[in-house]
Every structure is written in C-alpha cells, then in structure tokens.
Amino acid sequence: MPNINIMLVDDEERFLLTTKKLLERKGYKVETASSGMAALDKLKNHSIQVVILDVKMPGMDGITTLKKIKRAFPLIEVIMLTGHGTVESAVEGVKLGAANYLIKPADIDDISQKIQEAFEKRQTISTQTDKRKAYFKKLKIRLGLGLMAAFMLPYAVFFAYFQFQFSATLKNTGRLNLEALSNSQKNTIDLFLQERVVNIFSLFHSLDFSLNPSQDKMHNFLRDLRQVNDAFIDVGFLNTQGVQTGYAGPFPYLKDKDYSDENWFKTLLNQERHYYISNIYHGFRDKPHFTIAVRQIIDGNPFIMRSTLDPDKFYMFLRSINHGKEVEASLINKEGLYQIVDPDRGELLGKSEYIPPATTQSGVMEINENGYAILIGYAWLKETPWALIIRQPLNIAHAKMYQSRRIMTISLAIVFFGIAVGIWFANSRMIDHARVMVEKKDELRHQLFHASKLASVGELATGVAHEINNPLAIIVATSGVVRDMLNPEFNLNPSPEEIIKEIDTIDSAAFRARTITRQLLAFGRKSESKLAPCNVNQVLDEVMGGLKEREFMVADIEIIRDYDPGLPEIMLDHDQIRQVFLNLINNAGDAISGSGKITITTTRNDPDIQIMIKDTGKGMSAEQLNEIFNPFFTTKEVGKGTGLGLSVSLNIVEALGGVIDVQSSQGVGSSFIISLPIHRV
C-alpha cells in the first residue's frame, strides 16, 4: 500500500470519524474537513493526493468546492461522494474533472479501490508530465542549438573567411606600405648624400680656391659647409700624393697627414666615379665617422677635397624623416655592420642580426623576435653600398586596422549574441507554446475520456435495462399464460405437454438473462489475469478443434490455417485469450451467409505477435465500425447476439497489453487483427 495522504470532506461528523478510522487501518494518512472552505484552508498547509468530497454540503457545495480545488490545486485528484438523490451532481463533478464518484453508503473496500485508482491515475499523469517536461526541455535545447547553427553558421563561416582575408590583406598591405616607406626614405637618404657631395664639390669652384689654400680659406670652407648642414665635422684638401695639405676642424693634428694608404683614397683614385662615400671607420682620429671625398682633375693631376660627417647628426636626420611613422631605421653595410643605428638597438660598427639579400634592391621580411612578429623593410642605397633597414612591430604597423577589426569583431559579436538570444527566446516561446498545447490536448483528451466514460455508463445502463427487460417480459408473459391455462375460465389446454412447452420458453428467457449477466460480469471484472506461457497456435487449434470445426464444415465454411511455426511462447491468460479467439471466430462464422472462408493467420512482427481472423462475410459500414466495441451494439439479428462479445474481448486484449484493429468492407468481409506484445512491459 503506497503512502497516500487523503482528505475527507463531509458535513456529517459521524461519517468523518468512522471513515477516517477505517481508512487509517488500511494505512492511509487521513485529514478531515467539515466544509468546503475548511478543506481549501487545510489544503494550503497539507500535502494531499486525493480528496473525497461530499456533493451536498451547507454553504459551499461540493461542485463549487471541486472547481476551486481544481483551480488552486490541479494535481489533487477528487472523488465525489453522493447519495442516490444527487447522482446527477456527482456525474457533473466527473465532467468537471473529478476522478470518480461513490454513492452513499459506500463500502470501505470500494472507497479504498477508488482512492487507489485515483492515486495511480495521478501518478501516471505526473510521470507523463515529467516525461513531457524532459522531452520538451531536450527539444528546446536541440531545436535552439539547431536553429542557431542554421542561422549563425553561415555568418560564422563568413566571419572566419573575413578574418582570414583581413589578416592576409593586412599583411600584404603592411608589406607594401613598409616597402614603399623603405624606398621613399632610401631616396631621401640618397638625395641627402648627393647634396653633401655637391656641397663639397662646390668648394673647388669657389672664387678663393687655390691649390695651396691658406688656413683662413680652409676655415671659410668649413663655415660654408656647416651653414648648409651641421653634420659636417671638418674639411680637408689632399694633393696628388695623398697628403692633406689643408685642414679645418676640431682635429688640427690631421693637417699634413698622409692618406695615400687609406682604402677610401685608393678607391677614389682608381674608380670612374669622381666621388666616394666611405663606411664608418675610426681612422686617425680613433672615433667613428664616415668620409665623403670628391676628386677634381686640375692640370692633369687629381686633387681631393674631403669632409667627415657626424654619424649622430646623420642619425638625427634619419629619425627626422621617420617622424610619425612609428618605425625604427638603421643603415648597415654589406657585411651587416651598423653604419647608423639607434643606440637602443646597437652600436656603430656592431653586427646586425638581420642582413638583407643583396640580390634584390628592396623588400620586406617577417621575423619573430622574442615572441613578437616584426616586419623588416629594406632598400639598398644607390650612393653607397648601404642598406636602409626599417623595423616595425606587426601590431604597431597595423594598429589602426587592428583597432578597426576589434571594433568590427565586437560589433559582430554583439549582433551574433543578439541574434542568438532572439533565436533562443523565440524558440523557447514556440516550444513552451507547443508544450502548453500538448498539455491542453491531453487535458481535453482526459475530459473527452470522462465524457465518453459517462456516455458508456449511460449506454450500458440503457442496454442492460433493454436486454434484461426482454427476457423478463417473456418470463412474465409466459408465466401468465401458464396461469391462464390452469384457470378453467379460459378453457385452455392445461395438459402437462403444453405446460412444459411454456416452461421451456421461461427457461430459455432465464438462460438468456443469465448469459447477459455473466457477460456483464466479465465486461466489468478488473481481477488480475492469470498469466502463463502460451503458444498462440495451440490455443487457436484448441478453439477450432472438434465440434466447432465440424459445425463450420456442416455450414459449408472452409477454415484456412496459416500459422507461423516459429512463434515464441508469450505470457497470456489461457482462458481469457481462448474466449477472445472464440468470440471472433464465432462472429466471423455468423457474418457468412452460405458458403465462405475463414482464414486464421499468425505472424511474428517484432515486438508483437499478430493474429488475423479474416472472413468473407457481409462486412460492415464505416458507421458500424465506429460502434462495434460499444456494449450491446451488434450487427446480428435480434436474439442472436448480446453485443457484449467484442467489448469483453477488447477489455481482455488491452489488459494483456495488446490492441485490436479492424478492417472491413461491405460485401467483401472483415479482418480482426490482434497484436500481443512478445515481452510485457
């Protein structure tokens, strides 16, 4: 006995006390209330599964209380309790959602049975509700994810493609920009050096130039050069032998120095070009500097005017042309030695970690330095074998573009999130609406079930009255005839033979009434089936064996057996399933007028066994098919059927976990297909 909490609601105190004690003895936990209002108040504070509610109470009657209970506590099952005079009210309560009704005085076993049925119904509904909620929850998640994938996957693919193309385009654009910047600055540096060469050349053409310049003239030369550009450190004049015969600058000891063994001097004399720009070197002054020297042929002899430039001033010039570019520039020679470099990067004549290829005039490389991607642009100068190296971190090179992409990505993410939320919200509303519709459909189905149950009860009562009244009327009429036969006034033949004929009529009517009552008992019986392993083929042979088969032979009805020999044994009530087969086979025979065939087929159609009983009889109309399982409905002639055989058969098959399907066409015949589960759940 499950732990069921119930509430008795009745205005009769004696009934409450007595019924409470009896139910508590059966293991129920019982609360009581003497009115509808008291019941509603107690239901707020107690966990109640089943309420037994009196229909007729002072103040708030049972029907009104039922409505309020169903509105406030829809999960509570209600059983209406009524006297004989208020059965109509109890039926109305069932229509409003009550699980059942009891008529006073009700036996305690009947009350207990109704409580158990109501509780099991509620458990079934709760289980179905939980399963439905779990199903719709899974459906909501799956459908929501599916919809988001369907709607957003194309956008995600497009966004991924955009990111890929953006990165590729960004890199390519960055390379092109850096290469263009390298070439532009290379041209600027070449122009700077060319201007310095011209500045020095102009000294040969000054008015006070002579092959033996005085010190004052040399100072004037240096002053003129510095006015043009302050990168000039000093100026010197070398004769044909390479001796610096004139000098002005911060290193006076360089005057009369012999430069004939210096590389730059030898190169300048031997090359076609009339000027030379040296690499950074220390020379006689032992300080890093580079020299620009120009050659002038005078009277067939080469004379040289040279000047040194300050690398620091040259570096400042290099920085000035990079203003606002957020790049780091340096100059290296073919050996990779720094000619101009940021002090934070290296030192003059230090070794560069990157040497561009000498085979291409300009280009861009990407390297990884301390985990950061670095773009390096390079361009070889025309005026001197130096390479301009421009370094720019990738994140700086594309900072604005990265910022634009971040803004775009965040915007798209917000849009995607909004779309996802919108899809999820719309999907949730749709699924919730579908769940509510299913729940309303189930509720309507339950209401229709109640209505059909009440209708069946009414039809059953009407049918019972009609079917029982007929034999009773025959008995009454026949007994009146016997009475008249024994009355001399009517002058009837009272011989024993005539009286026995009338008694036989009474016996026939009585037996007919007994048959109806037995079938009614079978129709309403709810006892547990006695299950045992059964072979369906053997049960059918038992039904058709002996007298029944000979009966069909006499009626010129051929029996065709088409059994599946591999059918497994299944759990059945042998007597009940035999009764079902007998009812259907008898009906098949009654449907055939004259000669015909009855085909009995058994097949295994996992997870069921199917038994088909097919006849070549008169068949049924669509209207008849809708009525054949209703109690007392029959297509047979009057007196040949009670109309309970199919109702009883349907109850038996459904109790065994099976179903009955019917196919019929007028003038062709009917087929009854029974499906029984191989394994009962």
Side-chain angles (χ1 to χ4, degrees), residues 6 30 40 64 66 166 171 180 254 323 382 405 450 539 647:
I6 66 174
V30 184
L40 291 171
T64 305
L66 169 66
F166 179 88
K171 283 187 177 181
L254 294 178
H323 180 68
K382 290 182 178 180
R405 184 171 70 171
H450 280 299
V539 177
S647 299

Side-chain angles (χ1 to χ4, degrees), residues 242-370:
V243 177
Q244 189 165 255
T245 57
Y247 174 82
F251 307 102
Y253 59 86
L254 294 178
K255 186 181 179 188
D256 298 327
K257 282 287 187 182
D258 186 359
Y259 287 89
S260 59
D261 291 330
E262 295 296 312
N263 289 329
W264 64 264
F265 180 80
K266 294 177 180 179
T267 303
L268 179 58
L269 290 181
N270 295 320
Q271 70 178 13
E272 293 183 5
R273 198 165 65 170
H274 55 274
Y275 64 92
Y276 178 77
I277 302 172
S278 72
N279 289 327
I280 296 289
Y281 68 106
H282 286 82
F284 294 121
R285 65 192 70 186
D286 199 24
K287 290 185 66 176
H289 64 285
F290 69 96
T291 297
I292 298 179
V294 297
R295 184 185 68 218
Q296 182 71 42
I297 303 298
I298 301 174
D299 297 332
N301 296 313
F303 292 89
I304 295 173
M305 189 75 73
R306 66 177 290 274
S307 178
T308 58
L309 275 72
D310 186 351
D312 293 336
K313 296 293 180 66
F314 196 8
Y315 170 69
M316 296 306 295
F317 165 74
L318 200 58
R319 287 195 59 179
S320 68
I321 63 176
N322 290 331
H323 180 68
K325 306 296 185 188
E326 296 182 337
V327 296
E328 178 188 299
S330 59
L331 292 170
I332 63 172
N333 61 14
K334 289 185 177 180
E335 289 75 31
L337 301 179
Y338 284 121
Q339 305 300 297
I340 300 295
V341 66
D342 188 323
D344 293 333
R345 168 63 50 189
E347 58 182 12
L348 293 176
L349 298 180
K351 188 73 172 180
S352 171
E353 68 275 16
Y354 173 76
I355 302 176
T359 54
T360 55
Q361 288 298 312
S362 63
V364 177
M365 300 289 291
E366 183 178 333
I367 65 171
N368 190 285
E369 189 176 274
N370 299 324

Side-chain angles (χ1 to χ4, degrees), residues 128-189:
Q128 290 175 346
T129 302
D130 293 340
K131 288 182 178 179
R132 184 185 297 115
K133 286 181 179 178
Y135 169 77
F136 277 102
K137 184 178 180 180
K138 289 182 180 178
L139 181 62
K140 182 186 293 186
I141 294 173
R142 291 175 180 173
L143 187 58
L145 293 177
L147 286 173
M148 283 193 286
F151 277 97
M152 298 181 67
L153 189 59
Y155 293 102
V157 171
F158 171 76
F159 182 69
Y161 176 76
F162 165 77
Q163 292 282 31
F164 173 77
Q165 289 294 333
F166 179 88
S167 298
T169 304
L170 197 61
K171 283 187 177 181
N172 188 45
T173 303
R175 289 171 179 270
L176 293 175
N177 288 340
L178 197 60
E179 185 173 5
L181 179 62
S182 301
N183 282 309
S184 174
Q185 294 192 359
K186 181 263 294 187
N187 293 333
T188 302
I189 295 170

Side-chain angles (χ1 to χ4, degrees), residues 540-588:
L540 287 167
D541 282 339
E542 290 176 13
V543 172
M544 292 304 303
L547 186 60
K548 177 58 66 177
E549 191 164 17
R550 286 195 293 273
E551 177 184 328
F552 284 138
M553 289 178 62
V554 171
D556 197 18
I557 296 175
E558 180 184 0
I559 303 298
I560 301 174
R561 294 178 174 87
D562 184 11
Y563 296 165
D564 182 348
L567 291 184
E569 290 188 339
I570 60 176
M571 300 300 291
L572 299 171
D573 185 310
H574 180 276
D575 293 335
Q576 289 184 354
I577 199 64
R578 189 178 187 279
Q579 180 184 354
V580 172
F581 293 157
L582 182 60
N583 285 341
L584 296 180
I585 291 171
N586 282 338
N587 288 346

Side-chain angles (χ1 to χ4, degrees), residues 29 47 59 108 110-111 119-120 160 173 220 302 340 369 487 596 613:
K29 293 182 179 180
S47 177
I108 195 65
D110 290 338
I111 296 175
F119 180 76
E120 289 175 357
T173 303
N220 291 334
I340 300 295
E369 189 176 274
N487 189 341
I613 299 173

